[in-house]
Amino acid sequence: MNRFALFFAILAASISILIYIVPIENYTQIYHRNPFSKNISTDTPASSNLSIPRNTTDMSKSILRQAKITPHLSSTRGHNNIGWLDTYHSFSFADWHDSRYTQFGALRVLNEDRVKPLSGFPTHPHRDFEIFSYILSGELTHRDSMLAKGNEGGQSDKFYRMRRGDVQFTTGGTGIAHSEFNEHNKETVHFLQIWAFPWKRGLIPRYHTRTFSEEDKREGFVKILSPLKAGEDATVKEEAEAEPVIPNTIPIHADFVMGAGIIAPEGRFEWTVGGGAGIKTQRKVFVHLPMLKGGKAKIRLDGRENAELSEGDGAFIEGVFIGDKLTVESIGEAEAEVIVLDTA
């Protein structure tokens, strides 16, 4: 056997031994590298500074693979029960502070409140916040420095006694004082109170109230709020006209869109990031599942096993862009009423 033949014989034997020793799964790791590894280039812009987690769970159904989804469990919310008020805080509020939960984009407050009959929040001031109440059950009566008792009207901007399906919006602006009371003598009112930072200070105080139908929410996500169409430099006339980017929504002075949907068990809705009205391209989305069904409602976000939310839970979604699709599946025994808050 010449030297070349001997060399190739030894080489072939060495390769055979190597294949026998190294498990096949190691070859899979070498040639099919984790697409979420920090060493792999993605389509995410270099300026985004995203911290993308490794794929530790089944991501086979995920669409938003570049996104970071961080659940905010109900057990990590602030909680205070003072008898007439039972309240949960998703973000630092009043005497409860957690440095992890101070704001998320323009979103500053999300409180889930239950107020007993014939009790409520006495007159208190607000300024330079966009404040909105989403009624889940019961009724809530709103009175303020711009409305005298007994002047509640029909379903219009002067409607202040709210029931399920109603959303009332307040621009605190240069300053208002209001009260929120449950004037019903038997039923507890359950509602979400949400605050957002406006795009500028010193706005003219203003109110809007609309009713959003249950039927529409069962068909898909219904848009509740969208930015004021005239934008940050709106004239006094444009402020008075209060035209939102999305018709039949409430205008907000922020790059902020709110949606709500009621998803039947095994149903699935899709939220288009930006809500069709977002201004900045890169977005943040907060999803909240209110405590409505005695723990029987549950959802899954983006097909991820590690993004399943029970009642009272929320989730921070980062690294998403206008036009991205967020899927929300109802995987519990009861229908899930889902709130989506989409901000820059």
Side-chain angles (χ1 to χ4, degrees), residues 38-292:
K38 293 180 181 178
N39 296 322
I40 300 297
S41 174
T42 70
D43 293 331
T44 304
S47 61
S48 66
N49 294 321
L50 293 178
S51 175
I52 300 176
R54 289 184 178 273
N55 182 12
T56 56
T57 61
D58 180 12
M59 296 279 285
S60 60
K61 297 181 181 179
S62 171
I63 296 174
L64 299 176
R65 295 200 170 199
Q66 85 284 1
K68 179 181 178 181
I69 301 180
T70 306
H72 181 6
L73 302 182
S74 181
S75 59
T76 61
R77 295 189 293 177
H79 180 223
N80 193 15
N81 189 336
I82 55 175
W84 65 270
L85 170 66
D86 187 6
T87 180
Y88 289 83
H89 311 310
S90 293
F91 296 87
S92 296
F93 191 81
D95 295 332
W96 180 73
H97 179 79
D98 189 319
S99 59
R100 296 173 297 173
Y101 311 124
T102 54
Q103 72 178 88
F104 191 59
L107 178 60
R108 174 60 188 88
V109 170
L110 195 166
N111 292 343
E112 186 165 357
D113 293 343
R114 285 185 173 87
V115 176
K116 288 187 174 180
L118 303 177
S119 57
F121 303 93
T123 301
H124 56 282
H126 287 291
R127 65 182 303 144
D128 290 326
F129 270 110
E130 306 286 274
I131 301 168
F132 34 110
S133 298
Y134 182 95
I135 311 302
L136 295 164
S137 65
E139 67 176 42
L140 184 70
T141 298
H142 177 279
R143 306 187 191 284
D144 60 74
S145 54
M146 297 171 65
L147 179 75
K149 186 171 182 177
N151 285 349
E152 298 93 341
Q155 178 59 26
S156 69
D157 286 353
K158 295 184 180 297
F159 179 82
Y160 291 93
R161 180 162 285 128
M162 300 168 286
R163 298 177 177 86
R164 177 166 171 79
D166 292 334
V167 176
Q168 189 189 55
F169 178 88
T170 304
T171 291
T174 54
I176 56 99
H178 71 179
S179 65
E180 294 154 303
F181 261 81
N182 178 5
E183 297 183 359
H184 199 279
N185 59 8
K186 293 182 180 179
E187 295 181 4
T188 294
V189 62
H190 181 194
F191 67 104
L192 303 178
Q193 184 164 106
I194 306 168
W195 299 10
F197 289 108
W199 48 42
K200 68 179 181 181
R201 300 166 68 90
L203 294 164
I204 298 171
R206 198 173 300 279
Y207 294 92
H208 302 279
T209 305
R210 293 187 69 93
T211 299
F212 297 89
S213 80
E214 299 272 306
E215 292 75 16
D216 290 345
K217 290 177 190 174
R218 288 189 167 89
E219 294 296 320
F221 283 117
V222 172
K223 309 295 172 37
I224 306 294
L225 305 176
S226 68
L228 181 71
K229 188 173 183 178
E232 189 172 344
D233 298 320
T235 64
V236 173
K237 181 175 181 292
E238 289 169 330
E239 285 282 359
E241 291 171 347
E243 183 181 357
V245 171
I246 301 175
N248 301 316
T249 62
I250 296 172
I252 182 171
H253 299 91
D255 187 355
F256 193 102
V257 182
M258 176 181 177
I262 301 172
I263 313 176
E266 300 184 6
R268 171 176 162 169
F269 285 0
E270 186 176 81
W271 175 261
T272 300
V273 174
I279 299 170
K280 292 185 179 178
T281 301
Q282 188 163 353
R283 314 293 297 174
K284 297 180 177 182
V285 179
F286 188 83
V287 175
H288 179 67
L289 181 62
M291 300 182 294
L292 279 170

Side-chain angles (χ1 to χ4, degrees), residues 18-32:
L18 181 63
I19 291 174
Y20 178 79
I21 293 173
V22 180
I24 189 66
E25 57 267 26
N26 286 11
Y27 283 101
T28 302
Q29 290 175 7
I30 293 169
Y31 291 106
H32 300 281

